[in-house]
Amino acid sequence: MGGPSDPPEGTPDGFPGGAEDEYRSVVFDESFVRAARLQEFSAHERTTEHAPAVRSRPSPHRRLSRQALILVLLIAVAFGTALYMGVRHPYQDPAAAQQPVEALRSTVVPLAPTGEVPGTSDVDQLFAQSPAAHYKIGADGIALPASRRTANFSDGQVINALTTAKDYLVRSSLYPEVLSGEQVRPVRILVDGDQLDQFDRSFQEPAADGRHAPTGWLVRFDPTVAQLADDEVRVQGSLRVTEADSGTLEVTTDHTFVYALRPADSDGKAEASLFTVRRELHFRFDRDDLRLHQTQVVGSSTQAGPLSCAADSADQLRPLLAGETATGGGPAGTDPYSGGGATALCGTLADRAQPKV
């Protein structure tokens, strides 16, 4: 055999160094013993088992490699489980699966006056002598009902749906830049992403087909015809929320908006008149809409006047102003065999709906 060798971790403490140490070849510290690849069986083990006098000790590196492999496998399983849960939630109610977004269907009914449109230069007097005298101003007239949780939606989610519906009404019926036709973005950002193609086409290629009428989405006046005489629009109406199914909330709104208008580009001295718009909207909300503060506008019914029945009210509203009368008779007839759009509708604006000036 070769000569003695140093322990793996150096000379043990308390022993002098040097080749002359006569016990150096037989003294082993604890680190030397731990590093040994062979381990002697105990006396008891040798008497109870037929085994060699020594056994090999497992390498610590081998034990570490096995533990590392097990850890890697556990991490891989956990990651795979998390990925599966993210793609397909095991507790998702099949009835709550997202439904396809329905396209907006809208109608706009012009209300023609029976005589001259009444007007005055005093806007306050105009409102005071009209049925809108007790209406609240602006967003204050769009009051939220007492909210209550439903079977599948919390109080907070119900309030969120009602608040979004109110925001849509405010932006689409009260914003001056929207009413003048200058902007549509304040309304567009509230529309569900799956309806944006229909929304954009309605303004790029407006049509009176019940699907692509800009006035189905919002209120806007022809800026070459009329302008606001007063930014304080009078409003009255109601909102109602219901649960359509386990994954959908629906909000139905019914509001009357009364605007004071003057001729376009007037110097402020021209007489003002009132213009009334009643909007009934049907909103739908899935859970993504509630999270993103957006809505699906699936139904819109508008009655507006005083308007001429012959005027095209799909793109912009062209009000009859103070002193004007309806011309052109009723709406043009619709050929049911042409397949070219919805049946034209027109109504009469009751005298009692006009201010008494």
Side-chain angles (χ1 to χ4, degrees):
M1 294 179 63
S5 60
D6 292 334
E9 296 181 7
T11 303
D13 294 339
F15 289 89
E20 293 82 4
D21 186 0
E22 60 180 329
Y23 298 105
R24 178 171 180 159
S25 61
V26 296
V27 175
F28 305 99
D29 67 346
E30 187 179 351
S31 65
F32 191 96
V33 174
R34 286 200 308 267
R37 299 302 302 274
L38 297 178
Q39 181 180 20
E40 184 180 6
F41 282 91
S42 68
H44 176 72
E45 290 174 324
R46 289 199 298 271
T47 59
T48 58
E49 299 181 10
H50 298 287
V54 295
R55 59 185 169 191
S56 297
R57 300 182 65 181
S59 170
H61 298 291
R62 186 176 180 181
R63 288 198 303 270
L64 181 60
S65 299
R66 185 176 302 169
Q67 292 173 352
L69 178 60
I70 293 173
L71 181 60
V72 169
L73 289 175
L74 288 174
I75 292 175
V77 171
F79 180 80
T81 302
L83 184 62
Y84 177 83
M85 294 281 286
V87 173
R88 182 178 181 179
H89 198 293
Y91 303 108
Q92 184 177 6
D93 183 356
Q98 184 173 346
Q99 300 296 322
V101 174
E102 184 179 333
L104 168 67
R105 293 179 178 272
S106 65
T107 58
V108 181
V109 180
L111 301 177
T114 57
E116 282 190 4
V117 177
T120 178
S121 58
D122 188 341
V123 174
D124 291 335
Q125 180 185 4
L126 199 62
F127 279 118
Q129 297 181 358
S130 77
H134 63 284
Y135 285 13
K136 293 184 178 180
I137 296 174
D140 290 341
I142 308 175
L144 300 183
S147 62
R148 185 174 301 175
R149 65 172 302 148
T150 65
N152 295 283
F153 293 89
S154 66
D155 287 335
Q157 290 172 315
V158 172
I159 292 174
N160 193 2
L162 289 168
T163 302
T164 303
K166 176 176 179 176
D167 285 349
Y168 189 96
L169 286 170
V170 170
R171 297 184 186 197
S172 64
S173 310
L174 299 176
Y175 274 24
E177 63 269 29
V178 172
L179 297 175
S180 65
E182 297 175 9
Q183 293 284 339
V184 299
R185 177 172 169 75
V187 181
R188 188 181 188 274
I189 61 177
L190 294 178
V191 177
D192 184 287
D194 290 337
Q195 285 190 313
L196 289 180
D197 286 344
Q198 183 188 12
F199 182 93
D200 292 339
R201 182 180 170 188
S202 298
F203 292 90
Q204 294 166 1
E205 302 175 14
D209 59 1
R211 290 181 178 270
H212 301 97
T215 48
W217 297 97
L218 48 79
V219 177
R220 68 172 182 175
F221 303 112
D222 186 338
T224 66
V225 174
Q227 64 181 7
L228 288 175
D230 187 352
D231 289 340
E232 295 185 341
V233 181
R234 272 48 172 189
V235 185
Q236 179 172 281
S238 63
L239 296 90
R240 182 171 59 90
V241 61
T242 57
E243 181 180 303
D245 54 50
S246 60
T248 310
L249 282 175
E250 293 185 347
V251 175
T252 303
T253 68
D254 184 356
H255 288 80
T256 300
F257 301 86
V258 184
Y259 306 87
L261 302 177
R262 282 195 175 98
D265 301 324
S266 63
D267 55 6
K269 296 181 180 179
E271 287 191 340
S273 59
L274 296 187
F275 188 84
T276 304
V277 178
R278 180 176 178 179
R279 303 185 74 196
E280 298 177 65
L281 297 177
H282 183 189
F283 300 98
R284 187 170 294 160
F285 301 84
D286 59 28
R287 297 186 186 276
D288 284 341
D289 292 324
L290 294 174
R291 178 174 55 86
L292 297 173
H293 194 63
Q294 294 179 338
T295 185
Q296 304 165 34
V297 190
V298 297
S300 172
S301 175
T302 302
Q303 301 173 42
L307 285 170
S308 173
C309 289
D312 179 11
S313 301
D315 183 10
Q316 297 173 319
L317 300 175
R318 297 173 174 84
L320 295 173
L321 303 174
E324 296 182 337
T325 58
T327 58
T334 299
D335 181 1
Y337 297 96
S338 67
T343 302
L345 299 174
C346 190
T348 301
L349 184 63
D351 290 338
R352 64 179 178 274
Q354 298 276 39
K356 307 301 180 184
V357 294

